Amino acid sequence: MKTSWVEAARRAAWIAFPAAGIVWLATATYNESWFIAEEGLLLDRASGSGSLIDNLFSGVNGHLNVVASLVYHLQVKWLGVETHWLVFSAAVASIVLVQLSLARLLSRLGVPTLVALLVGTTAAFYGPGAQSVFWEFMQVQNLCIALCFFAASIVLRGAPSSRHAIWAVAALLAVAFLVDSLVVPFGAFFVGALAAFLWPRRQVAFVLLVP
């Protein structure tokens, strides 16, 4: 009976922490944030006559930001620039994903659930991620980091017993590359370093070569 209560409390914590973060961001920061200079390029592209595919793969400052390009395109085409709730929602989702992915990674390392969630929350909302709470364009960095943390969590399970884990890590890194090709090398290095200790070399090479 005690075990079931503990497990229920753990599951509730995984829901309560991100839910509280979403409510706080929605109520405290929505009216404090707006489009900034770095977003002008994406807004101009979305407002122009170029195709969606061209916009997605044109890059920003020399690197790919496919997901952000899509979000800003939909914001302009569907809602216009009088509001920013779609971009804001994507930014909030990216922050919560950093929170959960870091907590998951720490949990894989044996850190208690409550401590892992507190660290993930602090890092995503108040610590290194504090500026992303108000700078919505940082959703690309957030999402890329979160994908790399999720990939690292899979690696920490140990040597994969099937190809599913290998493909999952490779797919996460490949998507992270499309999200932000500037940040992903750092995340891939982190994931690769973990895999080098826990996986056979051939599998590590495959995972890192796919992106």
Side-chain angles (χ1 to χ4, degrees), residues 26-63:
T27 57
T29 70
Y30 179 76
N31 292 324
E32 302 297 327
S33 59
W34 199 253
F35 301 121
I36 59 175
E38 285 81 353
E39 297 166 291
L41 176 61
L42 293 174
L43 294 173
D44 288 343
R45 283 180 184 168
S47 302
S49 58
S51 69
L52 174 59
I53 298 299
D54 288 339
N55 290 342
L56 292 182
F57 293 96
S58 293
V60 178
N61 296 327
H63 54 276

Short mmCIF file of all heavy atoms in Angstrom, two decimals, residues 26-63:
data_model
loop_
_atom_site.label_atom_id
_atom_site.label_comp_id
_atom_site.label_asym_id
_atom_site.label_seq_id
_atom_site.Cartn_x
_atom_site.Cartn_y
_atom_site.Cartn_z
N ALA A 26 1.58 31.86 -17.98
CA ALA A 26 0.40 32.41 -18.65
C ALA A 26 -0.16 33.62 -17.93
O ALA A 26 -0.63 34.58 -18.57
CB ALA A 26 -0.68 31.33 -18.78
N THR A 27 -0.10 33.62 -16.62
CA THR A 27 -0.70 34.71 -15.85
C THR A 27 0.26 35.86 -15.56
O THR A 27 -0.16 37.00 -15.43
CB THR A 27 -1.25 34.18 -14.52
OG1 THR A 27 -0.19 33.53 -13.78
CG2 THR A 27 -2.38 33.18 -14.75
N ALA A 28 1.55 35.55 -15.48
CA ALA A 28 2.51 36.57 -15.03
C ALA A 28 3.35 37.16 -16.15
O ALA A 28 3.87 38.27 -16.00
CB ALA A 28 3.44 35.99 -13.96
N THR A 29 3.50 36.46 -17.27
CA THR A 29 4.44 36.94 -18.27
C THR A 29 3.83 37.21 -19.65
O THR A 29 4.50 37.83 -20.48
CB THR A 29 5.60 35.94 -18.46
OG1 THR A 29 5.10 34.75 -19.11
CG2 THR A 29 6.22 35.56 -17.12
N TYR A 30 2.61 36.75 -19.91
CA TYR A 30 2.07 36.90 -21.26
C TYR A 30 2.03 38.37 -21.71
O TYR A 30 2.44 38.70 -22.82
CB TYR A 30 0.67 36.30 -21.35
CG TYR A 30 0.04 36.46 -22.72
CD1 TYR A 30 0.44 35.65 -23.77
CD2 TYR A 30 -0.94 37.42 -22.96
CE1 TYR A 30 -0.11 35.79 -25.04
CE2 TYR A 30 -1.50 37.57 -24.22
CZ TYR A 30 -1.08 36.75 -25.25
OH TYR A 30 -1.63 36.90 -26.50
N ASN A 31 1.57 39.24 -20.83
CA ASN A 31 1.46 40.66 -21.18
C ASN A 31 2.79 41.41 -21.06
O ASN A 31 2.86 42.59 -21.38
CB ASN A 31 0.41 41.33 -20.29
CG ASN A 31 -0.99 40.83 -20.58
OD1 ASN A 31 -1.33 40.56 -21.73
ND2 ASN A 31 -1.80 40.69 -19.54
N GLU A 32 3.83 40.71 -20.59
CA GLU A 32 5.14 41.35 -20.42
C GLU A 32 6.09 41.05 -21.58
O GLU A 32 7.20 41.55 -21.59
CB GLU A 32 5.78 40.88 -19.11
CG GLU A 32 4.96 41.16 -17.86
CD GLU A 32 4.76 42.66 -17.63
OE1 GLU A 32 5.66 43.44 -17.97
OE2 GLU A 32 3.68 43.04 -17.13
N SER A 33 5.67 40.20 -22.49
CA SER A 33 6.54 39.81 -23.60
C SER A 33 5.90 40.17 -24.93
O SER A 33 4.68 40.26 -25.04
CB SER A 33 6.83 38.30 -23.55
OG SER A 33 5.63 37.55 -23.62
N TRP A 34 6.76 40.41 -25.93
CA TRP A 34 6.27 40.74 -27.27
C TRP A 34 7.39 40.43 -28.25
O TRP A 34 8.49 40.01 -27.87
CB TRP A 34 5.85 42.20 -27.34
CG TRP A 34 4.93 42.49 -28.50
CD1 TRP A 34 5.24 43.16 -29.64
CD2 TRP A 34 3.57 42.08 -28.64
NE1 TRP A 34 4.15 43.21 -30.48
CE2 TRP A 34 3.10 42.54 -29.89
CE3 TRP A 34 2.69 41.36 -27.83
CZ2 TRP A 34 1.82 42.33 -30.36
CZ3 TRP A 34 1.41 41.14 -28.29
CH2 TRP A 34 0.98 41.62 -29.54
N PHE A 35 7.13 40.62 -29.53
CA PHE A 35 8.15 40.37 -30.54
C PHE A 35 9.32 41.33 -30.36
O PHE A 35 9.13 42.51 -30.05
CB PHE A 35 7.55 40.54 -31.94
CG PHE A 35 6.39 39.64 -32.22
CD1 PHE A 35 5.15 40.17 -32.54
CD2 PHE A 35 6.52 38.26 -32.14
CE1 PHE A 35 4.07 39.34 -32.81
CE2 PHE A 35 5.45 37.43 -32.41
CZ PHE A 35 4.22 37.97 -32.73
N ILE A 36 10.53 40.81 -30.56
CA ILE A 36 11.73 41.62 -30.46
C ILE A 36 12.47 41.60 -31.79
O ILE A 36 12.06 40.91 -32.73
CB ILE A 36 12.65 41.14 -29.32
CG1 ILE A 36 13.07 39.68 -29.55
CG2 ILE A 36 11.96 41.29 -27.97
CD1 ILE A 36 14.07 39.17 -28.52
N ALA A 37 13.58 42.34 -31.86
CA ALA A 37 14.28 42.54 -33.13
C ALA A 37 14.66 41.25 -33.82
O ALA A 37 14.53 41.11 -35.04
CB ALA A 37 15.51 43.41 -32.90
N GLU A 38 15.14 40.26 -33.03
CA GLU A 38 15.60 39.01 -33.64
C GLU A 38 14.48 38.26 -34.35
O GLU A 38 14.72 37.41 -35.21
CB GLU A 38 16.22 38.10 -32.57
CG GLU A 38 17.60 38.53 -32.10
CD GLU A 38 17.55 39.64 -31.06
OE1 GLU A 38 16.44 40.17 -30.81
OE2 GLU A 38 18.62 39.98 -30.51
N GLU A 39 13.24 38.55 -33.99
CA GLU A 39 12.11 37.86 -34.60
C GLU A 39 11.63 38.54 -35.88
O GLU A 39 10.78 37.99 -36.59
CB GLU A 39 10.96 37.78 -33.59
CG GLU A 39 11.32 36.97 -32.36
CD GLU A 39 10.32 37.17 -31.23
OE1 GLU A 39 10.29 38.27 -30.66
OE2 GLU A 39 9.59 36.22 -30.91
N GLY A 40 12.15 39.73 -36.15
CA GLY A 40 11.69 40.47 -37.31
C GLY A 40 11.89 39.73 -38.62
O GLY A 40 11.03 39.77 -39.50
N LEU A 41 13.02 39.03 -38.75
CA LEU A 41 13.31 38.31 -39.98
C LEU A 41 12.26 37.24 -40.24
O LEU A 41 11.75 37.10 -41.37
CB LEU A 41 14.70 37.67 -39.91
CG LEU A 41 15.10 36.79 -41.09
CD1 LEU A 41 15.10 37.58 -42.39
CD2 LEU A 41 16.47 36.14 -40.85
N LEU A 42 11.91 36.48 -39.21
CA LEU A 42 10.91 35.42 -39.36
C LEU A 42 9.53 36.00 -39.66
O LEU A 42 8.78 35.44 -40.47
CB LEU A 42 10.86 34.56 -38.10
CG LEU A 42 12.11 33.73 -37.81
CD1 LEU A 42 12.00 33.04 -36.46
CD2 LEU A 42 12.33 32.69 -38.91
N LEU A 43 9.20 37.09 -39.03
CA LEU A 43 7.91 37.73 -39.28
C LEU A 43 7.84 38.28 -40.70
O LEU A 43 6.82 38.17 -41.38
CB LEU A 43 7.66 38.84 -38.26
CG LEU A 43 7.50 38.39 -36.81
CD1 LEU A 43 7.45 39.60 -35.87
CD2 LEU A 43 6.25 37.54 -36.64
N ASP A 44 8.93 38.89 -41.16
CA ASP A 44 8.97 39.42 -42.52
C ASP A 44 8.84 38.30 -43.56
O ASP A 44 8.13 38.45 -44.55
CB ASP A 44 10.27 40.19 -42.75
CG ASP A 44 10.30 41.52 -42.00
OD1 ASP A 44 9.22 41.98 -41.60
OD2 ASP A 44 11.40 42.06 -41.80
N ARG A 45 9.54 37.20 -43.32
CA ARG A 45 9.43 36.08 -44.25
C ARG A 45 8.02 35.54 -44.31
O ARG A 45 7.49 35.24 -45.38
CB ARG A 45 10.38 34.96 -43.82
CG ARG A 45 11.84 35.20 -44.15
CD ARG A 45 12.66 34.03 -43.69
NE ARG A 45 14.08 34.25 -43.89
CZ ARG A 45 15.03 33.49 -43.37
NH1 ARG A 45 14.69 32.47 -42.61
NH2 ARG A 45 16.30 33.75 -43.60
N ALA A 46 7.42 35.39 -43.15
CA ALA A 46 6.06 34.85 -43.10
C ALA A 46 5.07 35.78 -43.79
O ALA A 46 4.07 35.33 -44.35
CB ALA A 46 5.64 34.60 -41.65
N SER A 47 5.34 37.07 -43.73
CA SER A 47 4.44 38.06 -44.36
C SER A 47 4.67 38.18 -45.86
O SER A 47 3.82 38.73 -46.56
CB SER A 47 4.65 39.43 -43.71
OG SER A 47 4.43 39.38 -42.32
N GLY A 48 5.79 37.67 -46.35
CA GLY A 48 6.13 37.80 -47.76
C GLY A 48 5.44 36.77 -48.62
O GLY A 48 4.57 36.02 -48.18
N SER A 49 5.90 36.71 -49.85
CA SER A 49 5.27 35.82 -50.84
C SER A 49 5.99 34.49 -50.99
O SER A 49 5.60 33.65 -51.80
CB SER A 49 5.21 36.52 -52.21
OG SER A 49 6.52 36.89 -52.63
N GLY A 50 7.08 34.27 -50.22
CA GLY A 50 7.82 33.04 -50.33
C GLY A 50 7.03 31.84 -49.84
O GLY A 50 6.11 31.97 -49.02
N SER A 51 7.37 30.66 -50.35
CA SER A 51 6.66 29.45 -49.95
C SER A 51 7.04 29.03 -48.53
O SER A 51 8.08 29.44 -48.00
CB SER A 51 6.97 28.31 -50.92
OG SER A 51 8.32 27.89 -50.78
N LEU A 52 6.21 28.20 -47.94
CA LEU A 52 6.47 27.72 -46.59
C LEU A 52 7.77 26.93 -46.54
O LEU A 52 8.58 27.08 -45.62
CB LEU A 52 5.31 26.85 -46.11
CG LEU A 52 5.51 26.14 -44.76
CD1 LEU A 52 5.77 27.14 -43.65
CD2 LEU A 52 4.28 25.27 -44.43
N ILE A 53 8.00 26.08 -47.53
CA ILE A 53 9.22 25.26 -47.55
C ILE A 53 10.46 26.14 -47.61
O ILE A 53 11.45 25.91 -46.89
CB ILE A 53 9.21 24.29 -48.75
CG1 ILE A 53 8.02 23.32 -48.63
CG2 ILE A 53 10.52 23.51 -48.81
CD1 ILE A 53 8.04 22.46 -47.39
N ASP A 54 10.42 27.17 -48.43
CA ASP A 54 11.55 28.10 -48.51
C ASP A 54 11.80 28.77 -47.16
O ASP A 54 12.94 28.92 -46.72
CB ASP A 54 11.31 29.16 -49.58
CG ASP A 54 11.40 28.60 -50.98
OD1 ASP A 54 12.03 27.52 -51.15
OD2 ASP A 54 10.85 29.20 -51.91
N ASN A 55 10.71 29.18 -46.51
CA ASN A 55 10.84 29.84 -45.21
C ASN A 55 11.43 28.90 -44.15
O ASN A 55 12.25 29.30 -43.33
CB ASN A 55 9.48 30.35 -44.73
CG ASN A 55 8.98 31.52 -45.56
OD1 ASN A 55 9.76 32.17 -46.26
ND2 ASN A 55 7.69 31.79 -45.49
N LEU A 56 11.01 27.64 -44.20
CA LEU A 56 11.46 26.69 -43.18
C LEU A 56 12.96 26.44 -43.25
O LEU A 56 13.62 26.29 -42.21
CB LEU A 56 10.71 25.36 -43.33
CG LEU A 56 9.21 25.35 -43.03
CD1 LEU A 56 8.65 23.94 -43.18
CD2 LEU A 56 8.92 25.89 -41.63
N PHE A 57 13.49 26.41 -44.46
CA PHE A 57 14.89 26.01 -44.62
C PHE A 57 15.82 27.15 -45.03
O PHE A 57 16.95 26.91 -45.41
CB PHE A 57 14.98 24.86 -45.64
CG PHE A 57 14.36 23.59 -45.14
CD1 PHE A 57 13.05 23.27 -45.48
CD2 PHE A 57 15.07 22.72 -44.33
CE1 PHE A 57 12.46 22.10 -45.01
CE2 PHE A 57 14.49 21.56 -43.86
CZ PHE A 57 13.20 21.23 -44.20
N SER A 58 15.34 28.38 -44.92
CA SER A 58 16.19 29.52 -45.26
C SER A 58 17.23 29.81 -44.19
O SER A 58 18.27 30.40 -44.45
CB SER A 58 15.32 30.77 -45.49
OG SER A 58 14.52 30.61 -46.64
N GLY A 59 16.93 29.41 -42.96
CA GLY A 59 17.88 29.61 -41.87
C GLY A 59 17.78 30.98 -41.25
O GLY A 59 17.21 31.92 -41.83
N VAL A 60 18.33 31.11 -40.06
CA VAL A 60 18.38 32.37 -39.32
C VAL A 60 19.80 32.57 -38.84
O VAL A 60 20.34 31.72 -38.12
CB VAL A 60 17.40 32.36 -38.12
CG1 VAL A 60 17.51 33.67 -37.35
CG2 VAL A 60 15.98 32.14 -38.59
N ASN A 61 20.42 33.66 -39.27
CA ASN A 61 21.80 33.95 -38.89
C ASN A 61 22.75 32.79 -39.24
O ASN A 61 23.68 32.47 -38.50
CB ASN A 61 21.90 34.25 -37.39
CG ASN A 61 21.15 35.51 -37.01
OD1 ASN A 61 21.07 36.46 -37.79
ND2 ASN A 61 20.59 35.53 -35.82
N GLY A 62 22.44 32.12 -40.35
CA GLY A 62 23.34 31.10 -40.84
C GLY A 62 23.09 29.70 -40.33
O GLY A 62 23.84 28.78 -40.65
N HIS A 63 22.04 29.49 -39.53
CA HIS A 63 21.76 28.14 -39.06
C HIS A 63 20.27 27.85 -39.12
O HIS A 63 19.44 28.76 -39.14
CB HIS A 63 22.30 27.93 -37.63
CG HIS A 63 21.82 28.95 -36.64
ND1 HIS A 63 22.44 30.17 -36.48
CD2 HIS A 63 20.79 28.95 -35.77
CE1 HIS A 63 21.83 30.87 -35.54
NE2 HIS A 63 20.81 30.15 -35.10
#
